[in-house]
Structure formats: C-alpha cells, structure tokens
Amino acid sequence: SEGKAHFVEPGGLADATCALGDHPAVLYLATSYSNPDPAKRAAHASLASQCAAWLMSKGWCVISPLSMGQAIAVEAPNLPTDFATAREVCLRMLEASDALIVLLLEGVRESVGVAAEIDHARKLGIPLNQVKALAGEGAGGDFEIIPSPKWWR
C-alpha cells in the first residue's frame, strides 16, 4: 500500500487505489493560507506545492489552488488573496475532483476556506482525507497520508 491513501469518508476510494478505471484519481489539495504575514502565506503555498509534487510522484493527479493562487499573487500583488474572492473557482475545481485531501498546517482548523471546501465535499459525497509533512511545517520533503483522520468539522 506504499503511496496509496485510504479515503475514509465516504468509502468512494476505499480500495486505496491511485486510479479510477483507466485514469489516475484527481485529488483537490486544500490547506490554510490567510495570514497577515506574507512570509507565512508564501511558506504555506510552498508546502502545498511540495505536497502536490509528492502526491503526483505517487501517481495521483493533483489540483492545488493555493499553488496556482500564490503564483498569480506574485505576478499581481494588488489582487485580493482571501477565500471569498477565490471561493467560486475553488469550489468548481473541487467539484471536478475525485477526493479532497487537507494538508495539515498551522491555522487549517480555523480556515474559512478549508471549512467551506470540507463542507462542499461532504455535500457532494466526495471522499476526504488528510496529509501532513513528516518533518514538520517549514522543513519540506516527505509527507504522510493520515490513515484514520480525525475531523474538526
């Protein structure tokens, strides 16, 4: 089961496979972003991109709105970066996904965006799971799928 997530809620991907039929499963990667400190926002975006790359190396297709949004924010720093501005596009991308995976970073439990994404996934019956950095926040590198995640929502 190396590199395979056990999507536990609901059992849509209960067989822990990276593929659905003849195509890889598409994961929507969510995590916290909003923070008054631009360095913290950039660090979270970097970790989201590292996690997306790690998941891709395991065989999944990954949609990472934070990775995309941070790249745009660098090019257009006057654009708003709050979830209210990105809500529609984020939820539409989630709807095109086979599963939602939440990267556990500081502030994720308080994140309005992550809460909306979890609620929307549950409403649509999209399986949920969590992932965390093995070396802790800020270290980068390897990640770990949480086999039996505990949800705060």
Side-chain angles (χ1 to χ4, degrees):
S1 70
E2 172 65 28
K4 296 182 183 210
H6 297 274
F7 290 88
V8 295
E9 185 189 303
L13 296 178
D15 63 354
T17 184
C18 292
L20 294 173
D22 61 352
H23 69 280
V26 177
L27 305 183
Y28 178 101
L29 181 62
T31 195
S32 58
Y33 179 67
S34 295
N35 190 298
D37 181 355
K40 283 235 183 217
R41 289 195 306 269
H44 280 209
S46 177
L47 280 166
S49 294
Q50 290 171 40
C51 184
W54 180 81
L55 290 164
M56 292 169 138
S57 77
K58 303 296 182 192
W60 287 294
C61 291
V62 179
I63 296 172
S64 178
L66 180 48
S67 301
M68 178 183 79
Q70 178 67 10
I72 293 168
V74 167
E75 298 301 323
N78 294 331
L79 286 177
T81 59
D82 62 318
F83 182 72
T85 302
R87 180 183 180 87
E88 183 64 24
V89 71
C90 287
L91 296 184
R92 297 282 301 272
M93 287 189 287
L94 176 57
E95 290 166 8
S97 303
D98 298 309
L100 166 68
I101 191 156
V102 177
L103 174 57
L104 300 177
L105 296 178
E106 176 187 350
V108 74
R109 285 174 173 74
E110 297 79 30
S111 171
V112 172
V114 173
E117 291 159 334
I118 290 171
D119 292 347
H120 197 60
R122 284 189 171 143
K123 179 178 129 189
L124 298 173
I126 294 172
L128 303 159
N129 211 328
Q130 299 169 2
V131 63
K132 68 177 182 178
L134 285 179
E137 201 168 316
D142 281 339
F143 295 84
E144 174 184 45
I145 303 290
I146 308 299
S148 298
K150 295 190 179 7
W151 293 96
W152 56 94
R153 296 199 52 75

